[in-house]
């Protein structure tokens, strides 16, 4: 899908956020970018989205993404508070000039994909945190993007809601075969969701480990031995790369 | 029960105060040209209501035209400042200078330069009223979450789309707060301008009637005009406050 070649990012204030990031991402992968706060995860996501330009190296795309080819989900739902769920989901299409009538079936499909078909008319104020995040995900899915970028989308949710949204996201990814790059600072979340884990070292972020786990599908993923082994393996990796750990 | 009493409290207090005032005036035999009681003031209003209502209308027309112009000017400047840092740098200090210079000091110049009386008053009132709209709208425009700006960028939004679908709606609550402050300021500006212009002899508003009555030592009539001004201020403030809550509740309500 795309290749990162020695990508580095230094901000104008001389903060070196990323250094020498090299990786090939294949279509259909669920990539977790895992690392401590401030290691440059969001920066890498913004580089992929084209919201920032790398200061060195390059990102090579199989197909260079245009408007609507990338769905972005932020840590907060960041919905327009004055617009209903369906208006919020329609927004990306509206910005690209798709007529309301033509967009309606796609908006409805995106909302029902995240289980909110019945809440199309609800305003954000009337939705729970988890539901708002679902609307935000529907908004990212509505343009049928080739790449879904998610920046710690579940970090602010309670544990139960988070597990439910993780389950649903995992199912959605299996169903749709979309490429997902998912930023998280949670080892458990990365282990549960991803089939590719890029562990970043503390700032400046470098790739400290590149794991390709495969936990068997099924209802007991979260308690399976493969999952707990993977968590242990990632924890071990962190202990090696984090300063102050022995 | 408690809530009802709390809601009625200002009115009850007002009635008690009025009663006390009238009682004192009667008890001490204060002459009306020193301090008229509420009854004398009401009587003065009834005697002169044709002239006073006409004056109220005149002051209110200046106020509302000025508020409208201040809204257009304040929002337009705020949008231009948000769009262009250069424009912001050039304009901001001058807006502040205009804001901190007392209108009483500026008004005589305006009344000389703008020789259409109504327009001169409006210009003074606009100068007083536009700043809260400008600064609140500018703050509102600047407060749009950066993630939403990114989302608009990712979808190739034009500047016009970003303005109309994101920045302006996001600034609406701050704008309405500014509008409420500006509403009463427009009235203040109109009255100050009338006072200054009054001596020039072409005004017909409430402030002019207050000066006129003071020359003639018609103290109850001065009070009657003052009461009309106070009531107008309260009504404007309350109406704009109501507009603010109603609009926002309607827009963001679940
Ligand atoms: N626009 C910016 N300008 C300057 N420094 C920034 C900017 N954005 C992020 N940084 C810095 O770059 C580093 C990495 O930030 P970020 O990518 O947000 O990390 P993460 O998402 O992993 O927590 C941090 O030290 C952060 O303070
Ligand atoms: Mg981050």
């Amino acid at each position: 899908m795309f290749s990162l070649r020695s990508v580095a990012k230094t901000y104008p204030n001389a903060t070196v956020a990323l250094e020498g990031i090299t990786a090939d991402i294949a279509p259909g992968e669920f990539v977790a970018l895992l690392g401590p706060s401030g290691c440059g995860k969001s920066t890498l996501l913004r580089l992929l989205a084209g919201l920032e330009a790398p200061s060195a190296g390059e990102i090579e795309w199989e197909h260079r993404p245009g408007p609507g080819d990338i769905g972005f989900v932020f840590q907060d739902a960041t919905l327009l508070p004055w617009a209903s769920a369906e208006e919020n989901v329609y927004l990306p299409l509206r910005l690209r000039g798709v007529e309301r009538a033509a967009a309606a079936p796609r908006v409805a499909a995106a909302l029902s994909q995240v289980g909110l078909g019945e809440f199309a008319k609800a305003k954000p104020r009337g939705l729970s945190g988890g539901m708002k995040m679902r609307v935000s995900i529907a908004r990212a899915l509505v343009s049928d993007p080739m790449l879904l970028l998610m920046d710690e989308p579940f970090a602010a949710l309670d544990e139960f809601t988070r597990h439910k949204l993780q389950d649903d996201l995992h199912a959605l990814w299996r169903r749709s075969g979309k490429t997902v790059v998912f930023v998280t600072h949670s080892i458990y979340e990365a282990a549960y969701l991803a089939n590719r884990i890029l562990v970043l070292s503390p700032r400046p972020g470098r790739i400290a480990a590149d794991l390709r786990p495969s936990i068997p599908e099924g209802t007991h993923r979260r308690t399976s031995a493969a999952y707990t082994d993977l968590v242990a393996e990632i924890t071990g990796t962190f202990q090696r790369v984090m300063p102050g750990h022995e | 029960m408690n809530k009802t009493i709390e809601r009625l409290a200002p009115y009850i207090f007002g009635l008690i105060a009025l009663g006390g005032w009238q009682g004192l005036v009667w008890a001490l035999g204060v002459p009306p040209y020193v301090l008229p009681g509420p009854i004398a003031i009401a009587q003065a209003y009834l005697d002169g209501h044709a002239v006073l209502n006409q004056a109220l209308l005149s002051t209110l027309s200046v106020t509302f035209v000025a508020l409208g112009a201040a809204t257009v000017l304040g929002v337009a400047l705020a949008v231009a400042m948000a769009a262009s840092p250069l424009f912001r740098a050039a304009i901001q200090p001058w807006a502040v200078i205009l804001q901190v210079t007392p209108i009483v000091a500026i008004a005589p110049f305006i009344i000389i330069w703008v020789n259409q009386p109504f327009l001169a008053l409006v210009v003074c009132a606009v100068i007083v009223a536009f700043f809260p709209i400008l600064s609140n709208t500018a703050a509102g425009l600047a407060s749009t979450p950066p993630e939403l700006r990114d989302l608009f960028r990712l979808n190739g939004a034009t500047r016009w789309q970003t303005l109309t679908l994101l920045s302006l709606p996001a600034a609406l609550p701050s704008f309405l707060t500014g509008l409420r402050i500006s509403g009463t300021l427009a009235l203040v500006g109109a009255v100050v301008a009338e006072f200054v212009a009054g001596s020039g002899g072409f005004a017909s508003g409430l402030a002019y009637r207050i000066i006129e009555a003071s020359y003639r030592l018609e103290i109850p009539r001065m009070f009657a005009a003052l009461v009309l001004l106070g009531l107008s201020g309260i009504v404007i403030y309350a109406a704009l406050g109501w507009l603010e809550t109603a609009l926002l509740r309607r827009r963001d309500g679940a």
Side-chain angles (χ1 to χ4, degrees):
Chain A
M1 162 129 288
F2 62 87
S3 304
L4 300 161
R5 303 232 179 283
S6 312
V7 170
K9 177 67 183 179
T10 306
Y11 281 108
N13 64 1
T15 306
V16 184
L18 293 168
E19 222 171 54
I21 303 287
T22 296
D24 291 308
I25 305 300
E29 278 189 320
F30 194 122
V31 184
L33 287 179
L34 175 63
S37 277
C39 73
K41 306 182 296 294
S42 299
T43 302
L44 187 48
L45 220 51
R46 294 175 60 80
L47 291 177
L48 291 176
L51 292 166
E52 305 271 358
S55 38
E58 55 188 330
I59 304 172
E60 276 170 23
W61 295 90
E62 254 169 56
H63 303 284
R64 177 158 294 281
D69 286 340
I70 288 181
F72 207 117
V73 180
F74 304 90
Q75 173 162 354
D76 296 312
T78 57
L79 304 177
L80 304 175
W82 54 85
S84 65
E86 66 181 359
E87 284 291 322
N88 270 291
V89 173
Y90 171 44
L91 182 69
L93 300 179
R94 177 174 191 176
L95 292 178
R96 300 207 313 279
V98 182
E99 291 296 325
R100 193 176 293 269
R106 292 165 68 183
V107 170
L111 274 171
S112 63
Q113 216 172 350
V114 297
L116 283 183
E118 285 156 36
F119 291 88
K121 303 284 182 215
K123 295 272 177 78
R125 180 178 288 183
L127 300 175
S128 70
M131 289 159 97
K132 279 188 264 203
M133 186 45 75
R134 286 174 189 275
V135 176
S136 188
I137 293 172
R139 180 177 66 186
L141 290 174
V142 74
S143 1
D144 195 19
M146 60 183 204
L147 176 62
L148 198 54
L149 303 177
M150 309 179 86
D151 194 352
E152 306 193 20
F154 306 149
L157 302 176
D158 67 83
E159 194 85 41
F160 302 99
T161 312
R162 187 182 314 141
H163 279 194
K164 183 76 181 94
L165 267 91
Q166 287 169 348
D167 290 344
D168 291 357
L169 177 64
H170 184 75
L172 191 143
W173 168 65
R174 302 263 309 162
R175 208 164 59 228
S176 67
K178 282 198 190 310
T179 315
V180 182
V181 179
F182 188 101
V183 161
T184 178
H185 57 227
S186 160
I187 293 172
Y188 306 96
E189 190 168 48
Y192 182 70
L193 285 174
N195 69 350
R196 176 92 183 265
I197 301 178
L198 298 178
V199 180
L200 296 185
S201 67
R203 189 163 63 87
R206 302 159 168 281
I207 295 181
D210 184 348
L211 311 173
R212 295 169 189 272
S214 59
I215 307 170
E217 292 301 322
T219 45
H220 299 295
R221 268 171 66 82
R222 225 180 264 286
T223 47
S224 67
Y227 172 72
T228 40
D229 288 351
L230 178 59
V231 168
E233 183 186 349
I234 304 170
T235 308
T237 309
F238 266 114
Q239 284 174 349
R240 282 198 315 277
V241 302
M242 293 290 287
H245 277 270
E246 62 278 349
Chain B
M1 178 62 199
N2 261 337
K3 264 235 142 69
T4 333
I5 290 184
E6 213 173 294
R7 268 235 303 277
L8 292 177
Y11 304 101
I12 295 171
F13 174 77
L15 282 178
I16 292 173
L18 283 180
W21 176 3
Q22 185 66 53
L24 271 178
V25 167
W26 272 332
L28 302 176
V30 185
Y33 54 83
V34 176
L35 177 68
I39 295 180
I41 295 170
Q43 191 58 49
Y45 171 71
L46 291 178
D47 291 345
H49 72 272
V51 173
L52 287 176
N53 287 350
Q54 188 58 44
L56 174 65
L57 197 67
S58 160
T59 300
L60 287 183
S61 357
V62 173
T63 303
F64 287 122
V65 171
L67 186 58
T71 302
V72 173
L73 185 70
V75 171
L77 282 180
V79 167
M81 281 164 69
S84 154
L86 185 65
F87 185 79
R88 172 191 293 272
I91 292 300
Q92 197 152 10
W94 297 105
V96 173
I97 287 175
L98 203 56
Q99 160 74 9
V100 298
T101 310
I103 186 64
V104 225
I106 310 175
F109 295 97
I110 294 183
I111 286 158
I112 293 168
W113 291 332
V114 182
N115 51 21
Q116 208 282 326
F118 182 78
L119 204 59
L121 299 182
V122 166
V123 170
C124 290
V126 168
I127 290 177
V128 182
F130 91 98
F131 196 78
I133 294 183
L134 170 63
S135 60
N136 278 278
T137 309
L141 289 172
S143 73
T144 34
E147 291 90 349
L148 277 171
R149 298 197 161 278
D150 289 342
L151 184 78
F152 273 63
R153 255 179 78 195
L154 279 175
N155 288 286
T158 61
R159 288 183 85 155
W160 177 249
Q161 284 177 319
T162 309
L163 180 68
T164 53
L165 296 178
L166 179 60
S167 308
L168 283 179
L172 183 68
S174 318
F175 161 75
L176 288 172
T177 306
L179 183 68
R180 182 152 47 96
I181 302 168
S182 291
T184 42
L185 282 183
L187 182 65
V188 171
V191 168
V192 169
E194 279 178 23
F195 265 110
V196 176
S199 41
F202 55 63
S204 59
L206 277 175
Y208 178 72
R209 293 298 166 207
I210 291 179
I211 299 176
E212 185 190 55
S214 86
Y215 287 155
R216 298 182 189 159
L217 287 180
E218 294 171 337
I219 311 303
R221 190 176 163 117
M222 281 178 77
F223 269 90
L226 185 64
V227 169
L228 287 183
L229 270 182
L231 287 179
S232 312
I234 292 170
V235 168
I236 291 174
Y237 189 80
L240 291 176
W242 175 84
L243 180 77
E244 187 179 345
T245 25
L247 269 184
L248 293 181
R249 181 170 309 158
R250 209 187 119 88
R251 191 187 73 156
D252 301 347

